[in-house]
Amino acid sequence: MNIDLHVHSNASDGTLSPIELLTLADRLKIGALAITDHDTIDGSKSALAAGIPDQLHFITGVEISASRPPSFPGPGSFHLLGYRFRTDDPVLNNILRKLQGAREQRNPRIIERLAGLGFDIRLEDAQAETSDKSQLGRPHIASAMVTKGFAGSINEAFDRYLGTGKPAYVDKYRISCSSAIRVISDAGGISVLAHPGLLNITDPHRLDRLIGELKSMGLQGIEVYYPEHTRAQTAQFSKMAIRHKLLVTGGTDFHGAIKPDIQLGIGRGDFSVPYELFKQLESASV
Ligand code: AMP
Ligand code: ZN
Ligand code: FE
Ligand code: FE
């Protein structure tokens, strides 16, 4: 039985609503699901309010974009997944509200940068790419650039303009990794380093030191199973999890139609996350 512990709904930049995700997961006979939206727990809240299908195990989730730790400087963010937290925790809800505000302020500034590069594109063009509810972000701006013929694909728009350090890149307010780990833990949850393979750390010792540093901040797990991870990376990260006594998790990073090559539970078709990992996450002490 498959599980998927990294999924975006239209509470962030996914295209399916939390209820549509529950229905799809149920139809695909996914054993366990977490909705891990960027800097918001509205997706998890809506799913719980709607009612979880009988055969599906569900845990609360979030993906927080944190600033990089001092030992690993540079632009861009570290993604920390949170699981099993209480959705009514006031500190967590407050911090996420602040992070949502920072996201809203960032979009017009990206548009300004694009205008400076000579692209006639408006916020409404990006809005037109979202389903009516979803949180506007770079994928929608990228999608609008494709629609207007300014880029051949969403990937190209990121690679040339919107990605970290590229000409239209705008940084946003973030909390530190240690704050993100603490707020998740204080809300009764478990924190996990998302997709370490995307950090592009080629020196294994450097990555090992980083994991050790995050663990000393209270990190409890590593997302070992991820569609972009090579076989070698999966093996490397799982050894690291054992060495640092960390939980192992995994998920597809499903976003629906905005990332059409990734399917719920199976990624590009050759991917799966063992059910056993869900049992370990579910029974781990916080
Ligand atoms: P934002 O929340 O606005 O920072 O945008 C983050 C989203 O952009 C995530 O959903 C990523 O999947 C997506 N993203 C980030 N980098 C790239 C890239 N190089 N190509 C395609 N999508 C990307
Ligand atoms: Zn996303
Ligand atoms: Fe991420
Ligand atoms: Fe994600």
Side-chain angles (χ1 to χ4, degrees):
M1 193 162 39
N2 265 4
I3 63 171
D4 200 332
L5 303 176
H6 190 154
V7 172
H8 294 268
S9 79
N10 65 3
S12 67
D13 57 359
T15 56
L16 297 189
S17 70
I19 296 174
E20 287 167 334
L21 284 174
L22 292 177
T23 307
L24 180 60
D26 194 38
R27 183 160 62 74
L28 297 174
K29 300 198 168 19
I30 302 245
L33 179 78
I35 297 179
T36 52
D37 281 308
H38 300 289
D39 300 329
T40 177
I41 59 176
D42 289 354
S44 288
K45 285 180 181 172
S46 302
L48 289 172
I52 308 301
D54 283 344
Q55 301 305 312
L56 181 68
H57 293 273
F58 182 85
I59 48 172
T60 57
V62 69
E63 183 176 23
I64 297 181
S65 300
S67 57
R68 289 169 170 234
S71 64
F72 195 79
S77 57
F78 266 38
H79 289 185
L80 291 165
L81 295 159
Y83 294 111
R84 286 181 49 200
F85 48 78
R86 294 180 297 271
T87 56
D88 62 354
D89 182 82
V91 177
L92 176 63
N93 279 278
N94 252 323
I95 285 183
L96 294 178
R97 208 167 306 128
K98 244 176 115 173
L99 294 175
Q100 286 302 323
R103 283 181 171 277
E104 273 165 39
Q105 286 172 11
R106 178 197 205 193
N107 293 318
R109 295 175 54 213
I110 297 175
I111 296 292
E112 272 171 36
R113 290 255 173 143
L114 288 171
L117 293 168
F119 295 116
D120 175 23
I121 189 163
R122 283 150 221 273
L123 214 46
E124 298 84 78
D125 300 321
Q127 200 77 57
E129 306 288 330
T130 72
S131 61
D132 19 306
K133 250 195 73 190
S134 86
Q135 163 203 91
L136 193 68
R138 284 183 297 163
H140 309 107
I141 299 176
S143 185
M145 290 188 81
V146 175
T147 302
K148 295 205 133 206
F150 300 152
S153 67
I154 290 184
N155 272 331
E156 191 195 313
F158 269 93
D159 289 348
R160 296 184 62 175
Y161 309 110
L162 301 169
T164 308
K166 297 295 151 77
Y169 180 74
V170 175
D171 219 341
K172 63 176 183 295
Y173 165 76
R174 296 189 174 93
I175 57 173
S176 64
C177 287
S178 60
S179 301
I181 290 167
R182 190 170 343 109
V183 70
I184 291 164
S185 157
D186 288 351
I190 286 184
S191 56
V192 172
L193 176 65
H195 43 62
L198 300 191
L199 297 175
N200 288 320
I201 302 178
T202 44
D203 176 2
H205 300 291
R206 189 155 178 240
L207 181 60
D208 199 67
R209 275 200 304 277
L210 178 72
I211 300 286
E213 192 183 336
L214 293 170
K215 160 115 189 185
S216 72
M217 297 173 185
L219 186 80
Q220 284 176 280
I222 307 180
E223 187 177 51
V224 169
Y225 294 85
Y226 190 74
E228 310 298 326
H229 289 168
T230 63
R231 240 171 227 275
Q233 283 177 318
T234 306
Q236 184 201 357
F237 302 151
S238 94
K239 272 194 206 143
M240 248 173 227
I242 293 168
R243 189 160 55 242
H244 291 280
K245 297 194 170 58
L246 290 163
L247 292 162
V248 171
T249 72
T252 60
D253 214 351
F254 178 76
H255 278 73
I258 199 117
K259 216 171 160 184
D261 53 329
I262 297 292
Q263 291 177 262
L264 193 71
I266 56 166
R268 295 189 181 85
D270 54 357
F271 175 84
S272 70
V273 185
Y275 184 76
E276 182 56 28
L277 298 182
F278 171 71
K279 299 308 288 177
Q280 288 162 11
L281 179 62
E282 199 186 27
S283 59
S285 51
V286 176

